[in-house]
Amino acid sequence: MTIQGLKRIDSNRVEVPMGYKKGMRTKGVIYVDATLEAELDKDSVDQVANVASLPGIVGPSLAMPDIHRGYGFTIGGVAAFDVTEGIISPGGVGYDINCGVRLLRSSLRKGDIAAKISDLVNALYRDIPSGVGSKGQLRLSAQDHRKVLLKGARWAVEQGFGDREDLDHTESLGCIEGADPALISSKAYERGKAQLGTLGSGNHFTEIQHVDEIYDDEAARSLGLFKGQVTVMIHTGSRGFGHQVCTDFLEVMQRAVIKYSIELPDRELACAPFDSPESRDYMAAMKSAANYAWANRQMIMHWVKESFMRVLNAGPAAIGMSLVYDVAHNMAKVEEHIVNGTKRKLVVHRKGATRAFAPGHPELPPAYQHTGQPVIIPGDMGRASFVLLGTARGMEESFGSTCHGAGRALSRHQAMKQAKGRAIWREMEDRGIIVRATGRSTLAEEMPEAYKDISTVVNVVHAAGLSKKVARLRPLGVIKG
Amino acid sequence: MKEIEYLDISGDVGLRLRAGSLEELFEAAAEGMASLITDTSALGESEQKEVVIPAGRGDDVLIAWLNELVFLFDAYGFIGRDFRVTFHKGELRASVSGGTFNPAVNERNLLIKAATYHNLCLKKINSHWEATVVFDI
């Protein structure tokens, strides 16, 4: 569909000009080639324009090629706001605070597990609680719950879920400073206490993969990746705990909008000046949820390792599993960026977008100082996922951000209609991929055709220079909620 | 009169509701949302919960009502089957009867994270009420 009013900048970028919608304070830029532009829907473009109307926005309102309609902010949206004149919006982070992805490498080759894929998938399905209504193996005491919020993945490591080195390979070392458990509602505590160590539902998954293509030999070596290698990807977030934090603070922000006389084109964009008590409270609560999510992924990773060791009857050294990196893709962070030659402190919202810092950035761990930040991009369950690296161009142009996944092409209803009469699990098995899901219609809703082609999405951010391709991963076995 | 229409939205799902009274509309919203999560007719033993939502803007009360039900499900596994809503000086008081969801037995459909303010609409048209609500799933 051609959307009136957009201006193509080059083969990977279109502009949403200032006049596209009333009230815009800046232009929008959407990273799409001609193929993905044809798949754009007007609502998501309108959302890019709506974000451009928020106070204190710095630079353009951006959207990555996996853009699709969200609530308030589009999915795939990136927007930076001045810390003195700008705002923070829970809708620019999303309900699943610190939803993110982690990638494990192993010393195993595809052939080593070929005869055991079904057993591994079944073990993961049994060991990692997933799906609607599932509860974890832990019941957090009030004291431990607060520790999770303050320490994040570090809490999980202290409890024996993983190693100290895992933290070095996690964004923000798996714990963002400034969390405040006192600002969390009793409802969020109730929702969170039995959900730590659970996968969730919808598009969350744990996937066994193999590296089938290397695009940059040297970078792949630095990340410990090689062709034919078995990897495991985990995609989940802060579960009901984070959902409740967002719900609670959207209510707070609805009142803040009136208090601070902020005009909004969509109530889901509710926000407050960044320099306000409402924003300070939200940031401290959001950080608590972010830390919960890092603890969650850390624990699930531990069970993945245990499942592999049990099924393969092998020790830790034999499977050689370690964390490549863990990235958040629903988050707001205060960062320093150069804008028009001046260093500025900004609050960068990434909603369905991944941080992708360039080589040499002080926030990167020593192992990735020379490569740039690893970026983990999950695709659909039938095609591929990708590993990329952050670039200097991305720092200059997109506040060090890139895409986060494939982005939906079909609504859930459309996907179910197309899947009617088909056995998706068998189709996947015919492609050599074993899938297990708890939900009645999860496989239909999540079938590969329901998503844009991840290769097209990744090729756009690569060609635009926002991040560079290192390796492609193909699925072998998937568990979903 | 109570009508529930399911809306197809790319990443999410919504409800368009129509009812003869505001009370019925809120009941329809709750029924519609519960049916997105599971087949409520298959729930076990009946339990009763009382819900109170403070007075406020009508559409805010609708979101708070649905998010209270999301909370009861996500925290305690309780899911409503029958809803009786009344308003007293704008305050919502509801009696909800339902059961506890058992993931091993009950159908597992959508995991609803929250009812959102996105494109939220609640209005009276002539003699009936209409609303649109989008859920994050």
Side-chain angles (χ1 to χ4, degrees):
Chain A
M1 174 178 136
T2 307
I3 294 167
Q4 296 297 315
L6 298 185
K7 277 184 1 198
R8 181 153 284 284
I9 301 168
D10 61 24
S11 54
N12 296 299
R13 294 165 180 83
V14 293
E15 181 181 325
V16 187
M18 288 274 283
Y20 176 86
K21 220 174 165 203
K22 203 176 152 197
M24 287 174 74
R25 296 166 192 256
T26 182
K27 67 181 180 182
V29 174
I30 305 175
Y31 292 87
V32 279
D33 62 8
T35 307
L36 292 172
E37 186 183 358
E39 292 177 22
L40 279 177
D41 74 287
K42 191 173 179 309
D43 287 341
S44 56
V45 177
D46 287 352
Q47 289 183 331
V48 173
N50 288 344
V51 171
S53 73
L54 293 174
I57 187 164
V58 174
S61 164
L62 303 170
M64 297 296 140
D66 45 343
I67 177 172
H68 62 92
R69 181 163 96 163
Y71 27 88
F73 279 59
T74 182
I75 309 295
V78 177
F81 297 88
D82 186 88
V83 291
T84 51
E85 292 164 9
I87 53 91
I88 189 162
S89 172
V93 172
Y95 285 91
D96 197 357
I97 296 165
N98 190 8
C99 184
V101 196
R102 65 172 47 193
L103 180 70
L104 284 79
R105 63 195 157 211
S106 76
S107 55
L108 302 165
R109 290 175 181 275
K110 186 183 168 191
D112 297 334
I113 62 164
K116 295 275 190 182
I117 295 290
S118 284
D119 294 341
L120 285 167
V121 170
N122 288 337
L124 293 174
Y125 189 73
R126 197 174 47 243
D127 296 347
I128 303 168
S130 59
V132 175
S134 58
K135 303 291 177 204
Q137 300 169 20
L138 297 182
R139 292 292 176 275
L140 285 172
S141 67
Q143 196 185 9
D144 277 340
H145 208 154
R146 284 191 293 274
K147 285 182 185 168
V148 169
L149 309 188
L150 289 169
K151 294 182 170 184
R154 200 165 72 230
W155 177 86
V157 170
E158 284 171 4
Q159 305 306 305
F161 298 100
D163 307 313
R164 176 81 191 97
E165 299 79 63
D166 300 335
L167 305 179
D168 294 334
H169 288 195
T170 304
E171 182 175 325
S172 299
L173 303 175
C175 174
I176 191 163
E177 296 299 325
D180 186 352
L183 293 166
I184 300 302
S185 70
S186 57
K187 283 184 181 175
Y189 279 115
E190 281 297 309
R191 282 176 82 169
K193 75 179 178 191
Q195 293 190 19
L196 195 66
T198 64
L199 196 58
S201 189
N203 62 0
H204 292 167
F205 64 80
T206 300
E207 184 171 291
I208 306 168
Q209 313 161 320
H210 69 103
V211 179
D212 93 314
E213 186 72 55
I214 299 280
Y215 302 99
D216 182 332
D217 286 326
E218 197 185 330
R221 264 197 304 278
S222 297
L223 268 57
L225 299 174
F226 58 86
K227 203 166 175 180
Q229 178 184 29
V230 171
T231 58
V232 178
M233 191 175 278
I234 299 162
H235 177 208
T236 186
S238 51
R239 308 286 292 106
F241 181 84
H243 309 163
Q244 188 65 42
V245 168
C246 184
T247 296
D248 293 340
F249 277 90
L250 272 167
E251 262 186 59
V252 171
M253 295 301 182
Q254 297 294 336
R255 294 191 291 275
V257 164
I258 298 164
K259 179 178 168 186
Y260 298 106
S261 304
I262 301 170
E263 276 184 46
L264 294 176
D266 179 348
R267 292 188 70 197
E268 196 70 16
L269 291 172
C271 55
F274 187 68
D275 186 14
S276 69
E278 291 86 351
S279 289
R280 279 191 286 278
D281 286 356
Y282 171 66
M283 276 301 271
M286 185 209 74
K287 289 172 176 177
S288 305
N291 290 342
Y292 184 101
W294 273 313
N296 192 34
R297 291 197 287 275
Q298 181 69 32
M299 290 169 67
I300 291 175
M301 180 180 85
H302 179 74
W303 291 323
V304 166
K305 286 182 182 178
E306 284 193 340
S307 302
F308 266 71
M309 287 191 285
R310 196 174 62 248
V311 171
L312 301 176
N313 195 24
I319 63 167
M321 272 191 172
S322 61
L323 185 56
V324 176
Y325 206 60
D326 176 303
V327 285
H329 53 224
N330 279 1
M331 190 82 101
K333 279 183 155 180
V334 175
E335 297 169 0
E336 284 186 341
H337 289 275
I338 308 290
V339 181
N340 299 327
T342 308
K343 190 186 270 188
R344 292 182 68 175
K345 201 179 244 193
L346 305 171
V347 54
V348 182
H349 294 62
R350 297 185 182 91
K351 182 180 179 182
T354 313
R355 197 190 74 169
F357 281 173
H361 195 285
E363 283 196 35
L364 296 184
Y368 299 134
Q369 273 293 324
H370 66 293
T371 59
Q373 182 206 304
V375 175
I376 319 296
I377 307 294
D380 61 70
M381 64 183 177
R383 282 178 282 198
S385 296
F386 284 84
V387 180
L388 296 90
L389 287 171
T391 62
R393 178 82 186 261
M395 297 306 294
E396 290 161 17
E397 200 176 316
S398 61
F399 306 103
S401 313
T402 191
C403 61
H404 89 305
R408 284 197 82 87
L410 300 179
S411 70
R412 287 176 161 83
H413 182 73
Q414 285 168 329
M416 281 174 67
K417 216 165 143 185
Q418 286 197 19
K420 206 169 180 183
R422 291 164 57 185
I424 301 297
W425 67 270
R426 193 182 295 280
E427 288 180 22
M428 300 295 292
E429 206 170 280
D430 289 344
R431 293 158 79 158
I433 305 161
I434 308 295
V435 293
R436 293 285 306 267
T438 57
R440 190 174 65 98
S441 53
T442 301
L443 291 183
E445 290 169 5
E446 293 291 311
M447 66 178 183
E449 305 97 292
Y451 286 88
K452 296 174 190 174
D453 182 353
I454 185 68
S455 299
T456 313
V457 169
V458 162
N459 284 341
V460 169
V461 292
H462 177 83
L466 302 187
S467 46
K468 64 173 186 175
K469 289 197 290 185
V470 175
R472 184 175 64 197
L473 316 167
R474 295 281 192 196
L476 294 168
V478 189
I479 68 160
K480 292 187 85 79
Chain B
M1 176 193 122
K2 212 190 272 182
E3 289 173 25
I4 302 171
E5 185 189 341
Y6 297 91
L7 299 177
D8 198 25
I9 300 159
S10 62
D12 296 309
V13 66
L15 295 174
R16 185 174 292 132
L17 308 151
R18 198 171 288 119
S21 68
L22 191 60
E23 289 82 356
E24 280 184 327
L25 188 94
F26 275 59
E27 289 165 7
E31 283 166 27
M33 186 177 79
S35 70
L36 291 170
I37 299 168
T38 192
D39 173 7
T40 54
S41 67
L43 290 170
E45 215 169 300
S46 196
E47 299 168 47
Q48 194 85 9
K49 300 258 185 207
E50 304 301 319
V51 174
V52 176
I53 306 291
R57 262 178 66 159
D59 50 1
D60 286 350
V61 176
L62 177 61
I63 293 300
W65 157 239
L66 294 173
N67 280 332
E68 182 66 21
L69 298 173
V70 168
F71 164 71
L72 290 173
F73 174 67
D74 205 37
Y76 308 122
F78 174 80
I79 187 155
R81 192 165 33 210
D82 293 305
F83 305 86
R84 293 286 170 266
V85 171
T86 55
F87 288 97
H88 300 268
K89 294 179 182 171
E91 181 183 84
L92 178 150
R93 294 179 196 169
S95 177
V96 183
S97 70
T100 301
F101 179 84
N102 179 351
V105 176
N106 295 122
E107 201 171 79
R108 301 166 98 172
N109 294 335
L110 296 178
L111 188 154
I112 294 180
K113 294 174 189 163
T116 77
Y117 294 92
H118 181 62
N119 288 344
L120 175 64
C121 171
L122 172 70
K123 58 189 172 189
K124 191 174 184 188
I125 299 173
N126 301 323
S127 61
H128 69 272
W129 285 84
E130 282 188 13
T132 305
V133 190
V134 176
F135 299 98
D136 184 23
I137 56 172

